[in-house]
Amino acid sequence: MKQVEMAMQRHEINYQELKTDAELSADDQELLGKAKQALLKSYSPYSRFQVGAAARLSNGMIISGFNIENAAYPVCLCAEQTTIAAVRTQFPDTGIQAMAISVKSAHHLVDQPATPCGQCRQLLSEQERNNPTTIRLILQGETGPIWIFRSVNDLLPFSFTGEWL
Ligand code: THU
């Protein structure tokens, strides 16, 4: 059978990896610290996986949130969702500069960053489209390396947008 040579397109994802939070700027250290404080308030009796997020706004405020689970599992709210809901209810029109996300598990030591789930990427992606700048993402597990993405879009290339509607 004849093989058809197909030219493949490539998409590259760029991110920074830092070894410890000592390499972060003071602002980013503060933001990550707020995400880590927030995860301690997580309501996650089912997964025992605590997620905290903290958003730095262009007015200097930091707003945080955490995951809230439910016995009806699909009702669970991710930390990114509660954080965006808190930001937008209090500051409907304010820019978001960065969001830090951290996680902790009761079952094992999380020593790699956990990246936002697909639904949260979609949520954050549209927030970024309406934002004056890209939204930087700063991710760390309970310990281990820190990943920094310059834009939500880097985590959700080819995203679905309102332009199709
Ligand atoms: N979770 C988040 O809060 N954010 C994510 O991006 C992924 C998952 C939460 C949902 C659930 O409470 C727990 O982590 C396990 O999936």
Side-chain angles (χ1 to χ4, degrees), residues 6-39:
M6 271 200 291
M8 300 299 283
Q9 308 294 314
R10 266 178 76 81
H11 179 82
E12 218 175 65
I13 295 182
N14 296 298
Y15 64 100
Q16 259 187 311
E17 179 171 290
L18 306 181
K19 297 256 172 303
T20 72
D21 57 4
E23 294 173 52
L24 288 172
S25 69
D27 273 2
D28 286 354
Q29 272 183 30
E30 182 190 22
L31 196 63
L32 186 57
K34 295 280 185 195
K36 291 186 172 201
Q37 277 173 16
L39 70 77

Side-chain angles (χ1 to χ4, degrees), residues 30-52:
E30 182 190 22
L31 196 63
L32 186 57
K34 295 280 185 195
K36 291 186 172 201
Q37 277 173 16
L39 70 77
L40 300 175
K41 292 182 264 178
S42 155
Y43 175 70
S44 41
Y46 305 103
S47 71
R48 317 256 336 252
F49 190 75
Q50 298 168 292
V51 186

Side-chain angles (χ1 to χ4, degrees), residues 144-158:
I146 295 161
W147 290 350
I148 300 179
F149 292 84
R150 285 175 301 191
S151 161
V152 174
N153 206 40
D154 289 342
L155 269 180
L156 191 65
F158 308 105

Side-chain angles (χ1 to χ4, degrees), residues 42-44 47-52 66-69 76-81 101 103 114-118 120-121:
S42 155
Y43 175 70
S44 41
S47 71
R48 317 256 336 252
F49 190 75
Q50 298 168 292
V51 186
F66 43 82
N67 55 330
I68 301 173
E69 298 189 342
C76 290
L77 299 172
C78 287
E80 295 87 336
Q81 295 173 340
I101 304 163
V103 301
T115 54
C117 75
C120 288
R121 292 179 200 204

